[in-house]
PDB file of all heavy atoms in Angstrom:
ATOM      1  N   PRO A 111     -74.679  55.041 177.982  1.00 93.00           N
ATOM      2  CA  PRO A 111     -74.934  53.604 178.193  1.00 93.00           C
ATOM      3  C   PRO A 111     -73.666  52.765 178.303  1.00 93.00           C
ATOM      4  O   PRO A 111     -73.603  51.824 179.087  1.00 93.00           O
ATOM      5  CB  PRO A 111     -75.760  53.213 176.957  1.00 93.00           C
ATOM      6  CG  PRO A 111     -76.416  54.485 176.529  1.00 93.00           C
ATOM      7  CD  PRO A 111     -75.439  55.576 176.842  1.00 93.00           C
ATOM      8  N   ALA A 112     -72.642  53.124 177.531  1.00 92.00           N
ATOM      9  CA  ALA A 112     -71.401  52.343 177.558  1.00 92.00           C
ATOM     10  C   ALA A 112     -70.726  52.409 178.918  1.00 92.00           C
ATOM     11  O   ALA A 112     -70.007  51.480 179.319  1.00 92.00           O
ATOM     12  CB  ALA A 112     -70.452  52.846 176.476  1.00 92.00           C
ATOM     13  N   ILE A 113     -70.954  53.511 179.651  1.00 95.00           N
ATOM     14  CA  ILE A 113     -70.378  53.669 180.988  1.00 95.00           C
ATOM     15  C   ILE A 113     -71.349  53.182 182.056  1.00 95.00           C
ATOM     16  O   ILE A 113     -70.941  52.595 183.057  1.00 95.00           O
ATOM     17  CB  ILE A 113     -69.986  55.142 181.236  1.00 95.00           C
ATOM     18  CG1 ILE A 113     -68.875  55.550 180.269  1.00 95.00           C
ATOM     19  CG2 ILE A 113     -69.538  55.363 182.676  1.00 95.00           C
ATOM     20  CD1 ILE A 113     -68.443  56.995 180.398  1.00 95.00           C
ATOM     21  N   ALA A 114     -72.637  53.401 181.831  1.00 94.00           N
ATOM     22  CA  ALA A 114     -73.654  53.039 182.820  1.00 94.00           C
ATOM     23  C   ALA A 114     -73.680  51.544 183.125  1.00 94.00           C
ATOM     24  O   ALA A 114     -74.093  51.130 184.215  1.00 94.00           O
ATOM     25  CB  ALA A 114     -75.027  53.497 182.344  1.00 94.00           C
ATOM     26  N   ARG A 115     -73.250  50.730 182.179  1.00 95.00           N
ATOM     27  CA  ARG A 115     -73.291  49.278 182.401  1.00 95.00           C
ATOM     28  C   ARG A 115     -72.110  48.759 183.216  1.00 95.00           C
ATOM     29  O   ARG A 115     -72.052  47.560 183.541  1.00 95.00           O
ATOM     30  CB  ARG A 115     -73.350  48.552 181.068  1.00 95.00           C
ATOM     31  CG  ARG A 115     -72.059  48.630 180.247  1.00 95.00           C
ATOM     32  CD  ARG A 115     -72.091  47.644 179.096  1.00 95.00           C
ATOM     33  NE  ARG A 115     -70.862  47.663 178.334  1.00 95.00           N
ATOM     34  CZ  ARG A 115     -70.679  48.344 177.223  1.00 95.00           C
ATOM     35  NH1 ARG A 115     -71.667  49.080 176.737  1.00 95.00           N
ATOM     36  NH2 ARG A 115     -69.521  48.306 176.580  1.00 95.00           N
ATOM     37  N   LEU A 116     -71.177  49.633 183.552  1.00 96.00           N
ATOM     38  CA  LEU A 116     -70.002  49.193 184.304  1.00 96.00           C
ATOM     39  C   LEU A 116     -70.377  48.748 185.710  1.00 96.00           C
ATOM     40  O   LEU A 116     -71.370  49.195 186.286  1.00 96.00           O
ATOM     41  CB  LEU A 116     -68.981  50.333 184.389  1.00 96.00           C
ATOM     42  CG  LEU A 116     -68.417  50.866 183.076  1.00 96.00           C
ATOM     43  CD1 LEU A 116     -67.514  52.062 183.345  1.00 96.00           C
ATOM     44  CD2 LEU A 116     -67.661  49.781 182.317  1.00 96.00           C
ATOM     45  N   LYS A 117     -69.551  47.892 186.279  1.00 96.00           N
ATOM     46  CA  LYS A 117     -69.727  47.486 187.673  1.00 96.00           C
ATOM     47  C   LYS A 117     -68.525  47.940 188.479  1.00 96.00           C
ATOM     48  O   LYS A 117     -67.443  48.171 187.931  1.00 96.00           O
ATOM     49  CB  LYS A 117     -69.907  45.980 187.788  1.00 96.00           C
ATOM     50  CG  LYS A 117     -68.696  45.167 187.335  1.00 96.00           C
ATOM     51  CD  LYS A 117     -68.942  43.674 187.527  1.00 96.00           C
ATOM     52  CE  LYS A 117     -67.713  42.852 187.081  1.00 96.00           C
ATOM     53  NZ  LYS A 117     -67.921  41.399 187.293  1.00 96.00           N
ATOM     54  N   THR A 118     -68.716  48.088 189.781  1.00 97.00           N
ATOM     55  CA  THR A 118     -67.649  48.529 190.686  1.00 97.00           C
ATOM     56  C   THR A 118     -67.308  47.410 191.657  1.00 97.00           C
ATOM     57  O   THR A 118     -68.195  46.776 192.237  1.00 97.00           O
ATOM     58  CB  THR A 118     -68.092  49.774 191.480  1.00 97.00           C
ATOM     59  OG1 THR A 118     -68.433  50.813 190.559  1.00 97.00           O
ATOM     60  CG2 THR A 118     -66.974  50.260 192.386  1.00 97.00           C
ATOM     61  N   VAL A 119     -66.013  47.165 191.827  1.00 97.00           N
ATOM     62  CA  VAL A 119     -65.529  46.126 192.741  1.00 97.00           C
ATOM     63  C   VAL A 119     -64.545  46.757 193.718  1.00 97.00           C
ATOM     64  O   VAL A 119     -63.639  47.487 193.300  1.00 97.00           O
ATOM     65  CB  VAL A 119     -64.842  44.978 191.972  1.00 97.00           C
ATOM     66  CG1 VAL A 119     -64.197  43.997 192.931  1.00 97.00           C
ATOM     67  CG2 VAL A 119     -65.835  44.264 191.074  1.00 97.00           C
ATOM     68  N   VAL A 120     -64.728  46.477 195.007  1.00 97.00           N
ATOM     69  CA  VAL A 120     -63.794  46.940 196.032  1.00 97.00           C
ATOM     70  C   VAL A 120     -62.995  45.743 196.527  1.00 97.00           C
ATOM     71  O   VAL A 120     -63.569  44.748 196.971  1.00 97.00           O
ATOM     72  CB  VAL A 120     -64.524  47.610 197.217  1.00 97.00           C
ATOM     73  CG1 VAL A 120     -63.520  48.044 198.285  1.00 97.00           C
ATOM     74  CG2 VAL A 120     -65.329  48.815 196.732  1.00 97.00           C
ATOM     75  N   ILE A 121     -61.680  45.843 196.444  1.00 97.00           N
ATOM     76  CA  ILE A 121     -60.812  44.764 196.907  1.00 97.00           C
ATOM     77  C   ILE A 121     -60.012  45.257 198.106  1.00 97.00           C
ATOM     78  O   ILE A 121     -59.354  46.298 198.042  1.00 97.00           O
ATOM     79  CB  ILE A 121     -59.850  44.317 195.783  1.00 97.00           C
ATOM     80  CG1 ILE A 121     -60.640  43.775 194.592  1.00 97.00           C
ATOM     81  CG2 ILE A 121     -58.868  43.270 196.301  1.00 97.00           C
ATOM     82  CD1 ILE A 121     -59.769  43.393 193.402  1.00 97.00           C
ATOM     83  N   ASN A 122     -60.093  44.523 199.205  1.00 96.00           N
ATOM     84  CA  ASN A 122     -59.332  44.891 200.400  1.00 96.00           C
ATOM     85  C   ASN A 122     -58.955  43.639 201.184  1.00 96.00           C
ATOM     86  O   ASN A 122     -59.302  42.510 200.790  1.00 96.00           O
ATOM     87  CB  ASN A 122     -60.127  45.872 201.276  1.00 96.00           C
ATOM     88  CG  ASN A 122     -61.515  45.358 201.606  1.00 96.00           C
ATOM     89  OD1 ASN A 122     -61.745  44.147 201.676  1.00 96.00           O
ATOM     90  ND2 ASN A 122     -62.458  46.272 201.814  1.00 96.00           N
ATOM     91  N   ASP A 123     -58.248  43.832 202.285  1.00 94.00           N
ATOM     92  CA  ASP A 123     -57.801  42.697 203.099  1.00 94.00           C
ATOM     93  C   ASP A 123     -58.977  41.869 203.598  1.00 94.00           C
ATOM     94  O   ASP A 123     -58.929  40.636 203.625  1.00 94.00           O
ATOM     95  CB  ASP A 123     -56.981  43.199 204.293  1.00 94.00           C
ATOM     96  CG  ASP A 123     -55.611  43.727 203.878  1.00 94.00           C
ATOM     97  OD1 ASP A 123     -55.214  43.489 202.715  1.00 94.00           O
ATOM     98  OD2 ASP A 123     -54.952  44.388 204.706  1.00 94.00           O
ATOM     99  N   GLU A 124     -60.045  42.566 204.005  1.00 92.00           N
ATOM    100  CA  GLU A 124     -61.215  41.865 204.561  1.00 92.00           C
ATOM    101  C   GLU A 124     -61.869  40.964 203.514  1.00 92.00           C
ATOM    102  O   GLU A 124     -62.242  39.823 203.802  1.00 92.00           O
ATOM    103  CB  GLU A 124     -62.227  42.883 205.091  1.00 92.00           C
ATOM    104  CG  GLU A 124     -61.818  43.611 206.367  1.00 92.00           C
ATOM    105  CD  GLU A 124     -60.702  44.615 206.149  1.00 92.00           C
ATOM    106  OE1 GLU A 124     -60.529  45.099 204.994  1.00 92.00           O
ATOM    107  OE2 GLU A 124     -59.973  44.923 207.114  1.00 92.00           O
ATOM    108  N   SER A 125     -62.003  41.463 202.297  1.00 93.00           N
ATOM    109  CA  SER A 125     -62.650  40.668 201.243  1.00 93.00           C
ATOM    110  C   SER A 125     -61.814  39.453 200.864  1.00 93.00           C
ATOM    111  O   SER A 125     -62.338  38.471 200.333  1.00 93.00           O
ATOM    112  CB  SER A 125     -62.908  41.538 200.013  1.00 93.00           C
ATOM    113  OG  SER A 125     -61.688  41.912 199.392  1.00 93.00           O
ATOM    114  N   LEU A 126     -60.504  39.521 201.149  1.00 93.00           N
ATOM    115  CA  LEU A 126     -59.604  38.420 200.810  1.00 93.00           C
ATOM    116  C   LEU A 126     -59.285  37.539 202.015  1.00 93.00           C
ATOM    117  O   LEU A 126     -58.511  36.593 201.906  1.00 93.00           O
ATOM    118  CB  LEU A 126     -58.300  38.981 200.235  1.00 93.00           C
ATOM    119  CG  LEU A 126     -58.442  39.803 198.949  1.00 93.00           C
ATOM    120  CD1 LEU A 126     -57.111  40.423 198.563  1.00 93.00           C
ATOM    121  CD2 LEU A 126     -58.972  38.945 197.811  1.00 93.00           C
ATOM    122  N   GLY A 127     -59.872  37.863 203.163  1.00 92.00           N
ATOM    123  CA  GLY A 127     -59.642  37.069 204.372  1.00 92.00           C
ATOM    124  C   GLY A 127     -58.253  37.244 204.961  1.00 92.00           C
ATOM    125  O   GLY A 127     -57.745  36.343 205.644  1.00 92.00           O
ATOM    126  N   LEU A 128     -57.648  38.418 204.729  1.00 91.00           N
ATOM    127  CA  LEU A 128     -56.301  38.678 205.264  1.00 91.00           C
ATOM    128  C   LEU A 128     -56.398  39.386 206.610  1.00 91.00           C
ATOM    129  O   LEU A 128     -57.077  40.402 206.737  1.00 91.00           O
ATOM    130  CB  LEU A 128     -55.504  39.542 204.282  1.00 91.00           C
ATOM    131  CG  LEU A 128     -55.262  38.939 202.891  1.00 91.00           C
ATOM    132  CD1 LEU A 128     -54.593  39.952 201.981  1.00 91.00           C
ATOM    133  CD2 LEU A 128     -54.420  37.673 203.000  1.00 91.00           C
ATOM    134  N   ASP A 129     -55.715  38.856 207.591  1.00 92.00           N
ATOM    135  CA  ASP A 129     -55.737  39.436 208.930  1.00 92.00           C
ATOM    136  C   ASP A 129     -54.705  40.549 209.051  1.00 92.00           C
ATOM    137  O   ASP A 129     -53.675  40.535 208.376  1.00 92.00           O
ATOM    138  CB  ASP A 129     -55.441  38.337 209.964  1.00 92.00           C
ATOM    139  CG  ASP A 129     -55.755  38.784 211.378  1.00 92.00           C
ATOM    140  OD1 ASP A 129     -56.925  38.683 211.780  1.00 92.00           O
ATOM    141  OD2 ASP A 129     -54.829  39.249 212.068  1.00 92.00           O
ATOM    142  N   LYS A 130     -54.970  41.519 209.941  1.00 92.00           N
ATOM    143  CA  LYS A 130     -54.033  42.621 210.142  1.00 92.00           C
ATOM    144  C   LYS A 130     -52.681  42.124 210.665  1.00 92.00           C
ATOM    145  O   LYS A 130     -51.656  42.773 210.456  1.00 92.00           O
ATOM    146  CB  LYS A 130     -54.605  43.637 211.127  1.00 92.00           C
ATOM    147  CG  LYS A 130     -55.916  44.283 210.680  1.00 92.00           C
ATOM    148  CD  LYS A 130     -55.765  45.017 209.361  1.00 92.00           C
ATOM    149  CE  LYS A 130     -57.065  45.708 208.968  1.00 92.00           C
ATOM    150  NZ  LYS A 130     -56.999  46.296 207.608  1.00 92.00           N
ATOM    151  N   SER A 131     -52.685  40.961 211.302  1.00 92.00           N
ATOM    152  CA  SER A 131     -51.427  40.407 211.816  1.00 92.00           C
ATOM    153  C   SER A 131     -50.485  40.003 210.685  1.00 92.00           C
ATOM    154  O   SER A 131     -49.304  39.753 210.919  1.00 92.00           O
ATOM    155  CB  SER A 131     -51.706  39.201 212.713  1.00 92.00           C
ATOM    156  OG  SER A 131     -52.355  38.159 211.982  1.00 92.00           O
ATOM    157  N   SER A 132     -51.015  39.970 209.453  1.00 92.00           N
ATOM    158  CA  SER A 132     -50.164  39.630 208.310  1.00 92.00           C
ATOM    159  C   SER A 132     -49.045  40.652 208.128  1.00 92.00           C
ATOM    160  O   SER A 132     -48.019  40.364 207.495  1.00 92.00           O
ATOM    161  CB  SER A 132     -50.998  39.580 207.025  1.00 92.00           C
ATOM    162  OG  SER A 132     -52.006  38.600 207.105  1.00 92.00           O
ATOM    163  N   TYR A 133     -49.236  41.862 208.687  1.00 94.00           N
ATOM    164  CA  TYR A 133     -48.250  42.928 208.530  1.00 94.00           C
ATOM    165  C   TYR A 133     -47.291  43.023 209.716  1.00 94.00           C
ATOM    166  O   TYR A 133     -46.482  43.946 209.781  1.00 94.00           O
ATOM    167  CB  TYR A 133     -48.966  44.265 208.327  1.00 94.00           C
ATOM    168  CG  TYR A 133     -49.834  44.275 207.084  1.00 94.00           C
ATOM    169  CD1 TYR A 133     -51.187  43.964 207.147  1.00 94.00           C
ATOM    170  CD2 TYR A 133     -49.289  44.556 205.834  1.00 94.00           C
ATOM    171  CE1 TYR A 133     -51.976  43.950 206.002  1.00 94.00           C
ATOM    172  CE2 TYR A 133     -50.072  44.548 204.689  1.00 94.00           C
ATOM    173  CZ  TYR A 133     -51.419  44.244 204.783  1.00 94.00           C
ATOM    174  OH  TYR A 133     -52.182  44.228 203.650  1.00 94.00           O
ATOM    175  N   ASP A 134     -47.384  42.048 210.624  1.00 93.00           N
ATOM    176  CA  ASP A 134     -46.511  42.091 211.800  1.00 93.00           C
ATOM    177  C   ASP A 134     -45.064  41.740 211.467  1.00 93.00           C
ATOM    178  O   ASP A 134     -44.148  42.133 212.183  1.00 93.00           O
ATOM    179  CB  ASP A 134     -47.033  41.135 212.887  1.00 93.00           C
ATOM    180  CG  ASP A 134     -48.335  41.638 213.518  1.00 93.00           C
ATOM    181  OD1 ASP A 134     -48.674  42.815 213.311  1.00 93.00           O
ATOM    182  OD2 ASP A 134     -49.002  40.842 214.208  1.00 93.00           O
ATOM    183  N   ASP A 135     -44.854  40.965 210.402  1.00 88.00           N
ATOM    184  CA  ASP A 135     -43.490  40.650 209.996  1.00 88.00           C
ATOM    185  C   ASP A 135     -43.452  40.456 208.490  1.00 88.00           C
ATOM    186  O   ASP A 135     -44.467  40.176 207.851  1.00 88.00           O
ATOM    187  CB  ASP A 135     -42.956  39.409 210.717  1.00 88.00           C
ATOM    188  CG  ASP A 135     -43.719  38.148 210.343  1.00 88.00           C
ATOM    189  OD1 ASP A 135     -43.433  37.586 209.283  1.00 88.00           O
ATOM    190  OD2 ASP A 135     -44.612  37.747 211.117  1.00 88.00           O
ATOM    191  N   SER A 136     -42.273  40.638 207.907  1.00 81.00           N
ATOM    192  CA  SER A 136     -42.123  40.623 206.457  1.00 81.00           C
ATOM    193  C   SER A 136     -42.444  39.274 205.833  1.00 81.00           C
ATOM    194  O   SER A 136     -42.930  39.196 204.708  1.00 81.00           O
ATOM    195  CB  SER A 136     -40.697  41.034 206.074  1.00 81.00           C
ATOM    196  OG  SER A 136     -39.749  40.158 206.662  1.00 81.00           O
ATOM    197  N   ARG A 137     -42.193  38.194 206.562  1.00 82.00           N
ATOM    198  CA  ARG A 137     -42.461  36.867 206.007  1.00 82.00           C
ATOM    199  C   ARG A 137     -43.942  36.656 205.749  1.00 82.00           C
ATOM    200  O   ARG A 137     -44.332  36.009 204.777  1.00 82.00           O
ATOM    201  CB  ARG A 137     -41.932  35.779 206.946  1.00 82.00           C
ATOM    202  CG  ARG A 137     -40.423  35.642 206.958  1.00 82.00           C
ATOM    203  CD  ARG A 137     -39.974  34.634 207.977  1.00 82.00           C
ATOM    204  NE  ARG A 137     -40.364  35.014 209.332  1.00 82.00           N
ATOM    205  CZ  ARG A 137     -40.141  34.285 210.413  1.00 82.00           C
ATOM    206  NH1 ARG A 137     -39.531  33.109 210.301  1.00 82.00           N
ATOM    207  NH2 ARG A 137     -40.510  34.701 211.604  1.00 82.00           N
ATOM    208  N   ALA A 138     -44.788  37.198 206.610  1.00 85.00           N
ATOM    209  CA  ALA A 138     -46.233  37.068 206.428  1.00 85.00           C
ATOM    210  C   ALA A 138     -46.778  38.150 205.495  1.00 85.00           C
ATOM    211  O   ALA A 138     -47.774  37.936 204.804  1.00 85.00           O
ATOM    212  CB  ALA A 138     -46.945  37.152 207.783  1.00 85.00           C
ATOM    213  N   GLU A 139     -46.106  39.307 205.479  1.00 89.00           N
ATOM    214  CA  GLU A 139     -46.610  40.427 204.672  1.00 89.00           C
ATOM    215  C   GLU A 139     -46.464  40.175 203.178  1.00 89.00           C
ATOM    216  O   GLU A 139     -47.364  40.519 202.398  1.00 89.00           O
ATOM    217  CB  GLU A 139     -45.868  41.709 205.047  1.00 89.00           C
ATOM    218  CG  GLU A 139     -46.356  42.926 204.276  1.00 89.00           C
ATOM    219  CD  GLU A 139     -45.570  44.181 204.616  1.00 89.00           C
ATOM    220  OE1 GLU A 139     -44.848  44.188 205.631  1.00 89.00           O
ATOM    221  OE2 GLU A 139     -45.681  45.149 203.841  1.00 89.00           O
ATOM    222  N   LYS A 140     -45.362  39.575 202.769  1.00 84.00           N
ATOM    223  CA  LYS A 140     -45.130  39.375 201.330  1.00 84.00           C
ATOM    224  C   LYS A 140     -46.224  38.538 200.672  1.00 84.00           C
ATOM    225  O   LYS A 140     -46.763  38.936 199.626  1.00 84.00           O
ATOM    226  CB  LYS A 140     -43.749  38.747 201.112  1.00 84.00           C
ATOM    227  CG  LYS A 140     -42.601  39.728 201.330  1.00 84.00           C
ATOM    228  CD  LYS A 140     -41.261  39.086 201.058  1.00 84.00           C
ATOM    229  CE  LYS A 140     -40.120  40.083 201.272  1.00 84.00           C
ATOM    230  NZ  LYS A 140     -38.792  39.459 201.045  1.00 84.00           N
ATOM    231  N   PRO A 141     -46.600  37.376 201.242  1.00 87.00           N
ATOM    232  CA  PRO A 141     -47.690  36.617 200.607  1.00 87.00           C
ATOM    233  C   PRO A 141     -49.030  37.346 200.684  1.00 87.00           C
ATOM    234  O   PRO A 141     -49.872  37.189 199.803  1.00 87.00           O
ATOM    235  CB  PRO A 141     -47.720  35.304 201.400  1.00 87.00           C
ATOM    236  CG  PRO A 141     -46.969  35.564 202.655  1.00 87.00           C
ATOM    237  CD  PRO A 141     -45.964  36.610 202.338  1.00 87.00           C
ATOM    238  N   ALA A 142     -49.221  38.172 201.722  1.00 89.00           N
ATOM    239  CA  ALA A 142     -50.467  38.933 201.828  1.00 89.00           C
ATOM    240  C   ALA A 142     -50.560  39.947 200.691  1.00 89.00           C
ATOM    241  O   ALA A 142     -51.608  40.092 200.047  1.00 89.00           O
ATOM    242  CB  ALA A 142     -50.536  39.643 203.179  1.00 89.00           C
ATOM    243  N   ARG A 143     -49.455  40.643 200.435  1.00 88.00           N
ATOM    244  CA  ARG A 143     -49.454  41.619 199.331  1.00 88.00           C
ATOM    245  C   ARG A 143     -49.576  40.919 197.984  1.00 88.00           C
ATOM    246  O   ARG A 143     -50.192  41.435 197.057  1.00 88.00           O
ATOM    247  CB  ARG A 143     -48.183  42.474 199.382  1.00 88.00           C
ATOM    248  CG  ARG A 143     -48.222  43.520 200.484  1.00 88.00           C
ATOM    249  CD  ARG A 143     -47.152  44.588 200.313  1.00 88.00           C
ATOM    250  NE  ARG A 143     -45.843  44.146 200.771  1.00 88.00           N
ATOM    251  CZ  ARG A 143     -44.811  43.887 199.985  1.00 88.00           C
ATOM    252  NH1 ARG A 143     -44.947  44.029 198.676  1.00 88.00           N
ATOM    253  NH2 ARG A 143     -43.661  43.498 200.478  1.00 88.00           N
ATOM    254  N   ALA A 144     -49.000  39.726 197.870  1.00 86.00           N
ATOM    255  CA  ALA A 144     -49.106  38.959 196.628  1.00 86.00           C
ATOM    256  C   ALA A 144     -50.552  38.535 196.381  1.00 86.00           C
ATOM    257  O   ALA A 144     -51.029  38.548 195.237  1.00 86.00           O
ATOM    258  CB  ALA A 144     -48.199  37.731 196.691  1.00 86.00           C
ATOM    259  N   THR A 145     -51.245  38.168 197.457  1.00 91.00           N
ATOM    260  CA  THR A 145     -52.661  37.794 197.346  1.00 91.00           C
ATOM    261  C   THR A 145     -53.496  38.968 196.874  1.00 91.00           C
ATOM    262  O   THR A 145     -54.370  38.828 196.012  1.00 91.00           O
ATOM    263  CB  THR A 145     -53.187  37.296 198.705  1.00 91.00           C
ATOM    264  OG1 THR A 145     -52.449  36.132 199.109  1.00 91.00           O
ATOM    265  CG2 THR A 145     -54.670  36.942 198.628  1.00 91.00           C
ATOM    266  N   LEU A 146     -53.225  40.148 197.440  1.00 92.00           N
ATOM    267  CA  LEU A 146     -53.934  41.356 197.031  1.00 92.00           C
ATOM    268  C   LEU A 146     -53.680  41.658 195.554  1.00 92.00           C
ATOM    269  O   LEU A 146     -54.616  41.930 194.787  1.00 92.00           O
ATOM    270  CB  LEU A 146     -53.494  42.540 197.890  1.00 92.00           C
ATOM    271  CG  LEU A 146     -54.118  43.906 197.542  1.00 92.00           C
ATOM    272  CD1 LEU A 146     -55.572  43.952 197.999  1.00 92.00           C
ATOM    273  CD2 LEU A 146     -53.327  45.044 198.203  1.00 92.00           C
ATOM    274  N   PHE A 147     -52.422  41.604 195.146  1.00 90.00           N
ATOM    275  CA  PHE A 147     -52.075  41.914 193.764  1.00 90.00           C
ATOM    276  C   PHE A 147     -52.744  40.935 192.798  1.00 90.00           C
ATOM    277  O   PHE A 147     -53.274  41.333 191.757  1.00 90.00           O
ATOM    278  CB  PHE A 147     -50.558  41.875 193.582  1.00 90.00           C
ATOM    279  CG  PHE A 147     -50.105  42.108 192.171  1.00 90.00           C
ATOM    280  CD1 PHE A 147     -50.264  43.342 191.570  1.00 90.00           C
ATOM    281  CD2 PHE A 147     -49.520  41.077 191.439  1.00 90.00           C
ATOM    282  CE1 PHE A 147     -49.851  43.565 190.258  1.00 90.00           C
ATOM    283  CE2 PHE A 147     -49.105  41.289 190.131  1.00 90.00           C
ATOM    284  CZ  PHE A 147     -49.273  42.533 189.545  1.00 90.00           C
ATOM    285  N   SER A 148     -52.742  39.665 193.140  1.00 89.00           N
ATOM    286  CA  SER A 148     -53.366  38.661 192.272  1.00 89.00           C
ATOM    287  C   SER A 148     -54.858  38.922 192.114  1.00 89.00           C
ATOM    288  O   SER A 148     -55.411  38.772 191.013  1.00 89.00           O
ATOM    289  CB  SER A 148     -53.145  37.249 192.850  1.00 89.00           C
ATOM    290  OG  SER A 148     -51.771  36.922 192.887  1.00 89.00           O
ATOM    291  N   ALA A 149     -55.516  39.321 193.212  1.00 92.00           N
ATOM    292  CA  ALA A 149     -56.945  39.619 193.152  1.00 92.00           C
ATOM    293  C   ALA A 149     -57.219  40.824 192.255  1.00 92.00           C
ATOM    294  O   ALA A 149     -58.193  40.851 191.507  1.00 92.00           O
ATOM    295  CB  ALA A 149     -57.482  39.873 194.558  1.00 92.00           C
ATOM    296  N   VAL A 150     -56.343  41.819 192.330  1.00 94.00           N
ATOM    297  CA  VAL A 150     -56.494  43.015 191.484  1.00 94.00           C
ATOM    298  C   VAL A 150     -56.346  42.634 190.019  1.00 94.00           C
ATOM    299  O   VAL A 150     -57.154  43.043 189.173  1.00 94.00           O
ATOM    300  CB  VAL A 150     -55.456  44.090 191.867  1.00 94.00           C
ATOM    301  CG1 VAL A 150     -55.464  45.232 190.847  1.00 94.00           C
ATOM    302  CG2 VAL A 150     -55.739  44.629 193.259  1.00 94.00           C
ATOM    303  N   VAL A 151     -55.339  41.844 189.695  1.00 90.00           N
ATOM    304  CA  VAL A 151     -55.105  41.428 188.312  1.00 90.00           C
ATOM    305  C   VAL A 151     -56.312  40.659 187.768  1.00 90.00           C
ATOM    306  O   VAL A 151     -56.737  40.864 186.624  1.00 90.00           O
ATOM    307  CB  VAL A 151     -53.825  40.577 188.204  1.00 90.00           C
ATOM    308  CG1 VAL A 151     -53.684  39.979 186.809  1.00 90.00           C
ATOM    309  CG2 VAL A 151     -52.602  41.422 188.533  1.00 90.00           C
ATOM    310  N   ARG A 152     -56.894  39.781 188.587  1.00 92.00           N
ATOM    311  CA  ARG A 152     -58.049  38.998 188.145  1.00 92.00           C
ATOM    312  C   ARG A 152     -59.259  39.889 187.875  1.00 92.00           C
ATOM    313  O   ARG A 152     -60.063  39.612 186.979  1.00 92.00           O
ATOM    314  CB  ARG A 152     -58.409  37.944 189.189  1.00 92.00           C
ATOM    315  CG  ARG A 152     -57.425  36.789 189.284  1.00 92.00           C
ATOM    316  CD  ARG A 152     -58.015  35.632 190.070  1.00 92.00           C
ATOM    317  NE  ARG A 152     -58.384  36.021 191.417  1.00 92.00           N
ATOM    318  CZ  ARG A 152     -57.583  35.944 192.469  1.00 92.00           C
ATOM    319  NH1 ARG A 152     -56.336  35.490 192.302  1.00 92.00           N
ATOM    320  NH2 ARG A 152     -57.980  36.302 193.675  1.00 92.00           N
ATOM    321  N   ALA A 153     -59.390  40.960 188.649  1.00 94.00           N
ATOM    322  CA  ALA A 153     -60.571  41.817 188.530  1.00 94.00           C
ATOM    323  C   ALA A 153     -60.477  42.826 187.396  1.00 94.00           C
ATOM    324  O   ALA A 153     -61.502  43.339 186.926  1.00 94.00           O
ATOM    325  CB  ALA A 153     -60.815  42.547 189.854  1.00 94.00           C
ATOM    326  N   LEU A 154     -59.266  43.134 186.946  1.00 94.00           N
ATOM    327  CA  LEU A 154     -59.098  44.168 185.918  1.00 94.00           C
ATOM    328  C   LEU A 154     -59.665  43.728 184.576  1.00 94.00           C
ATOM    329  O   LEU A 154     -59.288  42.688 184.039  1.00 94.00           O
ATOM    330  CB  LEU A 154     -57.615  44.504 185.762  1.00 94.00           C
ATOM    331  CG  LEU A 154     -56.965  45.342 186.863  1.00 94.00           C
ATOM    332  CD1 LEU A 154     -55.472  45.465 186.615  1.00 94.00           C
ATOM    333  CD2 LEU A 154     -57.595  46.729 186.938  1.00 94.00           C
ATOM    334  N   ASN A 155     -60.577  44.525 184.060  1.00 93.00           N
ATOM    335  CA  ASN A 155     -61.098  44.332 182.707  1.00 93.00           C
ATOM    336  C   ASN A 155     -61.814  45.603 182.276  1.00 93.00           C
ATOM    337  O   ASN A 155     -61.973  46.532 183.074  1.00 93.00           O
ATOM    338  CB  ASN A 155     -62.037  43.118 182.632  1.00 93.00           C
ATOM    339  CG  ASN A 155     -63.247  43.264 183.542  1.00 93.00           C
ATOM    340  OD1 ASN A 155     -64.125  44.091 183.287  1.00 93.00           O
ATOM    341  ND2 ASN A 155     -63.296  42.470 184.614  1.00 93.00           N
TER     342      ASN A 155
END
């Protein structure tokens, strides 16, 4: 039961509204990766 009550969350670029063009140059990529990392930190529990 302690495990069965867990929930699963998938975090990716699409769920965060990040476009693939964010990786075309480093200036756009850094904030995109920061957004991903922040979302992961918020979800961890």
